[in-house]
Amino acid sequence: MDYDRYDRIRAVQWQGDHLRLLDQRLLPREERWIDCADASHITQAIKDLAVRGAPAIGIAAAWGVALAAKQGEPLDEVLATLRAARPTAVNLMWALDRMKKRIAAGADAEALVREAQAIQDEDLAANRKMGELGAALIRAHSGVLTHCNTGSLATAGFGTALGVIRAGVAMGRIDHVYAGETRPWQQGARLTMWELVRDGLPAQLIADSAAAHLMKSGAVQWVIVGADRIAANGDTANKIGTYQLAITAKYHGVKFMVAAPSSTVDMATGTGEEIEIELRDPAELLSIGGQRTVVEGAQAWNPVFDVTPAELIDAIVTERGVIERPNSIAMQAMFGW
Ligand code: MRU
């Protein structure tokens, strides 16, 4: 795998005394960095989607705790505020629990910096492993469809679903990539296409509503998505629109893969029914790029994740291995509890 070609973006960068984030709200128009000087600034960046994507949120939060420790802030409060920043992606809670455990064990600020760095490094390694495992499931010369942004921007680097796609292209298994726009925030159009074009991968954007027509055409053999939380039975919360892709894939005989690190697996949550789905400001739906597109006075409902039942998933790929046709027993065998 030529990582120099396929793994060049680092959107979360520790600078020794602050955290630098590539502002995802401005891409692809502008590559502007935000320097977060304290944990509250990091919390705000998570809430506002300046940093987004389940693993990247967890990594940024871990750095928030390390930064707070260096600045002598009350860590219990910092942990609670960061935890409340967004509800669905469990990587946030997972990273904070890991930092909390180190604090309880008496770790000082420098030890917490090392822990945050370990969380970031392990995520990159997990993505590279998932790339190999996921790409191995795909037949040569396949077409794939992905949703949202699951690439370097959403992780420590390389990506989850996009990591599988990068590896699949590098290994000659994927000939063509389709990316859905991912309304309303357009992570697919604005972020995934930015990554794919930078890497020179053969990709085309589709409107979210073109997915069924695309699958019917026979051009895609796999839908490959990331995850924000995987329950103990394999039910998977991911960006809104994922569920309808899984239903459509099943109808058309297209395979459906979820790629996510084990930090996204939440064995304390029995099924997808128990996963809290983030509802965001309806205003995100009422305008595009700051331009109002809907009549004044209109209302909107804006859930930003949905749950795909395990029975619609052909493979869950984590760095620990692949679970085909996931269910509670297979999840328990791989992740224990
Ligand atoms: O609301 P976002 O942009 O943080 O949502 C991101 C997603 O849903 C991704 O698909 C998911 O986090 C997987 S990220 C590797």
Side-chain angles (χ1 to χ4, degrees):
M1 187 67 220
D2 180 1
Y3 289 116
D4 288 340
R5 170 168 175 204
Y6 291 106
D7 188 13
R8 293 175 298 151
I9 304 162
R10 293 291 178 269
V12 180
Q13 299 183 5
W14 175 243
Q15 300 293 308
D17 61 353
H18 67 277
L19 188 65
R20 181 164 286 181
L21 299 172
L22 181 55
D23 191 340
Q24 302 194 27
R25 295 165 302 182
L26 303 179
L27 289 171
R29 228 176 31 250
E30 194 185 331
E31 291 178 33
R32 192 193 297 169
W33 293 83
I34 309 174
D35 288 317
C36 297
D38 56 32
S40 71
H41 199 167
I42 295 174
T43 307
Q44 203 54 45
I46 294 172
K47 284 186 179 168
D48 295 345
L49 307 184
V51 56
R52 46 137 305 280
I57 293 169
I59 293 162
W63 283 120
V65 177
L67 189 52
K70 276 174 86 72
Q71 296 173 340
E73 284 193 61
L75 293 182
D76 280 350
E77 272 174 40
V78 168
L79 285 163
T81 321
L82 278 163
R83 198 178 188 92
R86 293 191 71 188
T88 305
V90 78
N91 306 63
L92 173 63
M93 295 70 184
W94 171 87
L96 292 172
D97 285 344
R98 190 162 148 176
M99 297 302 280
K100 193 173 169 182
K101 221 184 245 173
R102 298 288 289 127
I103 294 166
D108 62 8
E110 284 318 309
L112 293 175
V113 165
R114 287 195 296 277
E115 192 68 8
Q117 188 63 58
I119 287 172
Q120 182 154 354
D121 294 346
E122 287 167 26
D123 186 64
L124 178 59
N127 291 339
R128 289 179 171 187
K129 183 74 196 168
M130 286 187 280
E132 278 169 35
L133 295 173
L137 301 174
I138 300 168
R139 282 223 197 108
H141 307 303
S142 291
V144 301
L145 169 63
T146 191
H147 190 57
C148 196
N149 173 263
T150 61
S152 302
L153 293 169
T155 65
F158 199 57
T160 57
L162 211 53
V164 171
I165 290 170
R166 286 185 159 111
V169 171
M171 290 160 67
R173 291 172 184 265
I174 296 176
D175 280 355
H176 204 81
V177 185
Y178 296 90
E181 275 184 301
T182 323
R183 281 281 293 146
W185 212 73
Q186 303 196 78
Q187 289 93 332
R190 298 194 306 99
L191 306 176
T192 300
M193 288 306 290
W194 181 78
E195 292 200 33
L196 292 169
V197 168
R198 274 176 72 112
D199 280 7
L201 300 189
Q204 278 176 301
L205 181 69
I206 62 162
D208 296 324
S209 44
H213 184 62
L214 173 71
M215 289 190 221
K216 187 177 167 195
S217 76
V220 296
Q221 284 63 53
W222 281 91
V223 175
I224 309 178
V225 297
D228 290 81
R229 190 184 293 238
I230 302 175
N233 68 345
D235 289 353
T236 294
N238 192 52
K239 180 53 57 189
I240 191 77
T242 303
Y243 177 33
Q244 64 197 23
L245 290 180
I247 294 170
T248 311
K250 181 66 92 189
Y251 183 81
H252 291 100
V254 171
K255 300 258 196 184
F256 192 89
M257 183 192 304
V258 172
S262 55
S263 53
T264 305
V265 173
D266 179 11
M267 294 300 282
T269 293
T271 73
E273 292 290 316
E274 297 163 41
I275 299 175
E276 182 183 347
I277 299 297
E278 179 179 8
L279 283 175
R280 289 186 69 87
D281 188 346
E284 292 180 350
L285 266 177
L286 298 172
S287 53
I288 298 177
Q291 195 81 33
R292 179 95 186 185
T293 52
V294 184
V295 65
E296 290 299 334
Q299 301 196 347
W301 179 56
N302 188 21
V304 298
F305 298 98
D306 58 27
V307 173
T308 298
E311 69 204 52
L312 296 179
I313 299 171
D314 291 290
I316 293 179
V317 177
T318 75
E319 78 283 9
R320 296 199 197 165
V322 176
I323 297 182
E324 298 199 45
R325 291 174 300 283
N327 57 30
S328 308
I329 295 164
M331 290 290 291
Q332 169 76 31
M334 189 165 289
F335 299 104
W337 178 237

